Amino acid sequence: MIRIIPYETKYQPDFQRLNLAWLDQYGLTESHDLKVLNDPDGTIIAHGGFLFLAMEDDKVIGNAGLERETESSFELVKMTVDPAFRGRGISKILLETCIDKAREEGATRLILYSNSQLQVALRLYEQYGFRHIPATGAPFLTADVKMELSLSPNP
């Protein structure tokens, strides 16, 4: 049974392993990624963000997070699922958890930066109502996609 739990520091090696796997696979690993993966507590949690882990038994099989941008917006960050567990709807559960948490925190907007190579992820975001906007302000050199989801009650 899959369950979603809040991030705990003891899971940092799993968080790093899962994210480096996909970043390296697509040649997208950058210094900003390494900073976040080495210290998620200091880079995300300490600044009002949230990380969530998908667990099966005691194994971390996926993660996703929210990095606070402003009082009313978050950036969706570091969403991935272990390849052995893909196709089971875990990404949807993680994404829904992040959207719900952003709303709970009073956010009216959720953004994300991505790369055009990640077509499966981009289609998932589109299914949830994210729309493409100009890819400006990215903390990553490889981010050629920016998307936004309005969380306002009347979008």
Side-chain angles (χ1 to χ4, degrees), residues 36-84:
V36 171
L37 298 178
N38 288 330
D39 185 17
D41 288 291
T43 56
I44 296 177
I45 306 293
H47 298 283
F50 304 90
L51 289 173
F52 301 98
L53 305 174
M55 306 288 293
E56 183 170 79
D57 300 321
D58 61 351
K59 180 181 170 97
V60 178
I61 60 168
N63 53 249
L66 294 169
E67 186 172 341
R68 185 164 299 274
E69 290 291 303
T70 68
E71 193 62 34
S72 61
S73 71
F74 285 97
E75 177 187 346
L76 180 69
V77 296
K78 303 297 179 253
M79 190 165 99
T80 189
V81 172
D82 184 308

Side-chain angles (χ1 to χ4, degrees), residues 26-123:
Y26 289 97
L28 300 174
T29 307
E30 296 184 32
S31 61
H32 182 75
D33 293 303
L34 297 176
K35 183 179 176 185
V36 171
L37 298 178
N38 288 330
D39 185 17
D41 288 291
T43 56
I44 296 177
I45 306 293
H47 298 283
F50 304 90
L51 289 173
F52 301 98
L53 305 174
M55 306 288 293
E56 183 170 79
D57 300 321
D58 61 351
K59 180 181 170 97
V60 178
I61 60 168
N63 53 249
L66 294 169
E67 186 172 341
R68 185 164 299 274
E69 290 291 303
T70 68
E71 193 62 34
S72 61
S73 71
F74 285 97
E75 177 187 346
L76 180 69
V77 296
K78 303 297 179 253
M79 190 165 99
T80 189
V81 172
D82 184 308
F85 293 88
R86 291 184 184 155
R88 295 173 51 183
I90 298 166
S91 290
K92 290 179 180 180
I93 296 168
L94 285 164
L95 182 55
E96 289 168 7
T97 299
C98 288
I99 291 170
D100 291 346
K101 184 62 174 177
R103 282 193 170 114
E104 180 184 309
E105 292 293 312
T108 58
R109 175 177 108 121
L110 190 55
I111 64 164
L112 64 86
Y113 295 98
S114 191
N115 183 277
S116 53
Q117 295 179 74
L118 306 174
Q119 288 297 307
V120 172
L122 297 177
R123 282 193 300 276

